[in-house]
């Protein structure tokens, strides 16, 4: 089992920045791909950014150039640096890990399928005001 705990959410004005963290514990060696998803009220959960064990990253078009995903393997922590935030970025942000998929590219090719991810955090709220 892998446990994921997100932190770093909050309220910020448009144009501001936030950095989310996701601390992983348990059998983290079993996971190959980690990602950030988000879900706004009344909308489906959507993929935001993904990284694999080779360090390859992929982003949703809506955040490309503004968000950066990274990981510190020594600390078993995943990060999401969010810059130039917009009101439409307001959502609950979730960390997810997959033990079945090996590449970030595959996640994107599969359309950010939630079923590819075995483990999920509880989420952290991000609110961007105009």
């Amino acid at each position: 089992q892998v446990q994921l705990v997100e932190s770093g959410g909050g309220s910020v004005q448009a144009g501001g920045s936030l950095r989310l963290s996701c601390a992983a514990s348990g059998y983290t060696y079993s996971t190959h791909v980690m990602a950030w998803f988000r879900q706004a009220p009344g909308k489906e959960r959507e993929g935001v950014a993904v990284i694999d064990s080779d360090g390859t990253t992929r982003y949703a078009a809506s955040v490309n150039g503004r968000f950066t995903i990274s990981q510190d393997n020594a600390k078993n922590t995943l990060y999401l640096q969010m810059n130039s935030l917009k009101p439409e970025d307001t959502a609950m942000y979730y960390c997810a890990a997959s033990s079945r998929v090996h590449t970030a590219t595959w996640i994107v090719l599969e359309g950010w399928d939630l079923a590819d991810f075995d483990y999920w955090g509880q989420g952290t709220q991000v609110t961007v005001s105009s």
Side-chain angles (χ1 to χ4, degrees):
Q1 290 291 324
V2 175
Q3 294 78 42
L4 304 173
V5 179
E6 303 97 332
S7 61
S11 297
V12 64
Q13 289 191 330
S17 299
L18 282 174
R19 188 176 82 154
L20 306 183
S21 299
C22 172
S25 60
Y27 294 105
T28 57
Y29 63 86
S30 66
T31 59
H32 310 288
V33 169
M34 295 194 73
W36 289 97
F37 284 76
R38 67 185 181 187
Q39 188 168 18
K43 295 188 176 181
E44 293 186 352
R45 193 169 298 190
E46 63 176 4
V48 174
V50 58
I51 187 168
D52 60 31
S53 55
D54 288 336
T56 299
T57 59
R58 295 289 184 266
Y59 298 90
S62 59
V63 306
N64 197 25
R66 300 188 297 121
F67 291 11
T68 302
I69 188 172
S70 62
Q71 58 189 4
D72 185 331
N73 292 325
K75 295 182 179 180
N76 286 330
T77 301
L78 180 73
Y79 301 100
L80 184 68
Q81 178 66 44
M82 305 185 294
N83 298 328
S84 301
L85 284 161
K86 304 175 181 180
E88 51 264 43
D89 294 320
T90 295
M92 185 72 80
Y93 283 72
Y94 297 90
C95 171
S98 174
S99 63
R100 295 192 291 269
V101 177
H102 288 250
T103 70
T105 300
W106 184 254
I107 293 296
V108 176
L109 289 174
E110 289 225 303
W112 302 86
D113 189 346
L114 303 183
D116 283 335
F117 292 87
D118 312 274
Y119 308 103
W120 293 85
Q122 82 290 348
T124 185
Q125 178 68 38
V126 172
T127 303
V128 184
S129 58
S130 57

